[in-house]
């Protein structure tokens, strides 16, 4: 072969500026090749180098699980990646055949039917360790004991299981417990993470004075009820009072004597001390007069109501959130729980005028000439706590605490003070039940599980009750378990049992820190003491874990103003 000159080689090159085969206009856009696609396809990747891997597996040896999200692209242009691959010998191409181009309908996610695995080796999948087809209970699945495909017990009575794919669940927007007006000045904004780090050790407290009287607790309620004879909750008309701090004549008298710097009731103080556990909105009115701080509440305030399943992962929904069951909405459940607690405390005492414990003074709020109902068994103890951080800066707090009954110690025979509260069950299968067990069948056999579920779903409510019991120095806290006689009706209830705890032991079980609560109280008080005399409002944000402190003009909560704001906040109480 004669050698060619350089000029011959150059003259043999094709004409044009580029090199390689000529471009094809069918699969190019301005000279750039692209993969054909349909307008209905989901474009997931700019370049996919794993689509045509060997035998349908990805480069790591696993199956192409991502195809579940892009399986619609298998219809048009599915083989277009061949444009970007290297040429294959024609002999290899002839050995390849397409079986089907139709898409296969595969169920993915919960309740999916998979037919691969060891179970394909034979029909005895149940005995040879093969994988059965998981079925959802209640839809043709097995109703016996065992676990379903999501790890839950098949026989467990429940509604929808939450926790899987809840990231796309729409957030609930709650309304504030009070209308924030334009002339209110925002002073502080504190998130719960900062509040949870506060810490202040306080003393056990000392008694200043005691008012009212107590009946003895009926120990027959502690016994396990007979299934054939359930004990009904009986409504009793007894005069009970929930007077705010500044309207209490005893506190006013103690304030005039300069007995303390901060004054509050146990209901208000417990809400503030347990604020980091709260979910629903609430507000506290703070009044500074001279060097004194009064923690007050508004009439018909949200913190007067007993909430239900406030801390549940799927709390009871409002009508705006699609809950059509009126009696299971947060407002209706709160009214029902408040009604149950009032009547339960009156029913579990033995009303005997000759056998009761009288305090030093009579009930300061009861007026026999005006009241038609007899007074309820209630003792008000005014107790003082030392919140000083140094001897040079003393600060004391006086709180009005409440006791509900008294009982004899089974060993020593001494009187023990008792607080009485009631948990209520509305419907273990309804939305918002928080995965609670059926109390009628599980309270005796699985008491620990029932109590643990209530600690989770009603963390803030139980924490407040425990704090109130510790503040009053109660020896025992009685928790009643009250359920509806019929889950579809909220006007008749039965008492299923009563369990007693020592308040401090119960606080340890709940991981409740009183020193953190005292730190929150002292911090809020210091914020107000730095300001001039006036009125402040501490508001829990309805949708965020934030407390906001506002300074409000004088007269914002007078009688005229209350008439305008209360009707707007009534449906928002939870």
């Amino acid at each position: 072969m004669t050698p060619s000159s350089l000029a011959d080689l150059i003259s043999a090159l094709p004409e044009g500026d580029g090199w390689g085969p000529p471009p094809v206009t069918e699969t190019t856009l301005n000279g750039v090749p692209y993969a054909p696609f349909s307008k209905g396809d989901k474009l997931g990747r700019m370049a996919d180098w794993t689509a045509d891997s060997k035998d349908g597996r990805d480069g790591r040896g696993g199956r192409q699980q991502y195809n579940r999200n892009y399986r619609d692209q298998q219809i048009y242009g599915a083989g277009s990646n061949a444009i970007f691959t290297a040429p294959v010998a024609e002999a290899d191409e002839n050995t390849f055949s397409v079986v089907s181009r139709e898409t296969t309908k595969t169920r993915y996610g919960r309740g999916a039917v998979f037919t691969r695995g060891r179970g394909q080796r034979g029909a005895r999948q149940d005995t040879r360790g093969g994988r059965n087809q998981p079925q959802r209970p209640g839809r043709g699945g097995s109703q016996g004991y065992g676990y379903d495909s999501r790890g839950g017990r098949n026989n467990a009575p429940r509604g929808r299981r939450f926790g899987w794919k809840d990231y796309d669940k729409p957030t609930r927007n709650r309304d504030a417990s009070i209308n924030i007006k334009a002339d209110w000045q925002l002073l502080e904004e504190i998130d719960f993470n900062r509040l949870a780090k506060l810490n202040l050790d306080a003393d056990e407290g000392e008694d200043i004075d005691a008012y009212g009287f107590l009946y003895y607790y009926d120990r027959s309620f502690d016994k396990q009820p007979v299934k054939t004879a359930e004990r009904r909750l009986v409504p009793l008309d007894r005069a009970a009072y929930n007077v705010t701090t500044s309207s209490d004549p005893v506190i006013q008298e103690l304030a005039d004597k300069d007995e303390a710097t901060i004054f509050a009731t146990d209901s208000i103080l417990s809400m503030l001390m347990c604020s980091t556990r709260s979910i629903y909105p609430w507000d506290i009115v703070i009044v500074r007069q001279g060097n004194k701080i009064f923690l007050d509440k508004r009439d018909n305030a949200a913190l007067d109501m007993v909430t239900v399943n406030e801390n549940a992962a799927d709390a009871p929904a409002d009508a705006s959130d699609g809950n059509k069951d009126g009696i299971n909405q947060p407002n209706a459940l709160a009214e029902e729980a408040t009604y149950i607690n009032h009547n339960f405390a009156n029913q579990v005492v033995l009303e005997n005028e000759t056998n009761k414990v009288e305090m030093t003074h009579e009930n300061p709020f009861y007026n026999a000439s005006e009241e038609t109902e007899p007074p309820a068994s209630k003792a008000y103890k005014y107790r003082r706590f030392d919140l000083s951080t140094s001897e040079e800066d003393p600060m004391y707090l006086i709180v009005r605490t409440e006791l509900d009954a008294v009982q004899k110690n089974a060993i020593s025979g001494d009187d023990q003070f008792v607080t009485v509260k009631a948990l209520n069950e509305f419907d273990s299968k309804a939305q918002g039940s928080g995965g609670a067990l059926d109390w009628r069948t599980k309270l005796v056999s699985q008491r620990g599980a029932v109590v643990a579920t209530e600690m989770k779903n009603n963390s803030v409510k139980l924490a407040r009750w425990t704090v109130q019991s510790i503040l009053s120095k109660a020896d025992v806290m009685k928790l009643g378990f009250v359920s509806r006689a019929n889950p579809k009706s909220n006007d008749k209830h039965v008492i299923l049992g009563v369990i007693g705890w020592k308040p401090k032991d119960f606080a340890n079980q709940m991981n409740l820190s009183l020193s953190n609560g005292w730190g929150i109280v002292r911090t809020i008080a210091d914020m107000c003491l730095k300001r001039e005399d006036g009125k402040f409002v501490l508001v829990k944000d309805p949708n965020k874990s934030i407390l906001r402190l506002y300074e409000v003009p004088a007269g914002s909560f007078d009688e005229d103003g209350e008439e305008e704001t209360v009707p707007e906040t009534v449906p928002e109480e939870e």
Side-chain angles (χ1 to χ4, degrees), residues 17 20 39 129 158 166 224 272 351 359 412 425 508 522:
D17 297 333
K39 291 184 177 180
R158 63 174 184 269
D166 278 351
Q224 181 179 340
L272 185 57
E351 294 188 349
M359 299 292 115
S412 63
E425 176 191 44
N508 291 334
R522 177 64 195 257

Side-chain angles (χ1 to χ4, degrees), residues 59 98 227 382 487 548:
V98 178
K227 292 183 179 180
Y382 294 82
R548 293 187 176 92

Side-chain angles (χ1 to χ4, degrees), residues 408-427:
K408 292 288 186 182
N409 187 298
I411 300 174
S412 63
D414 298 334
D415 285 340
Q416 291 182 320
F417 293 117
V418 180
T419 56
V420 179
K421 306 295 180 182
L423 293 166
N424 63 298
E425 176 191 44
F426 54 99
D427 187 353

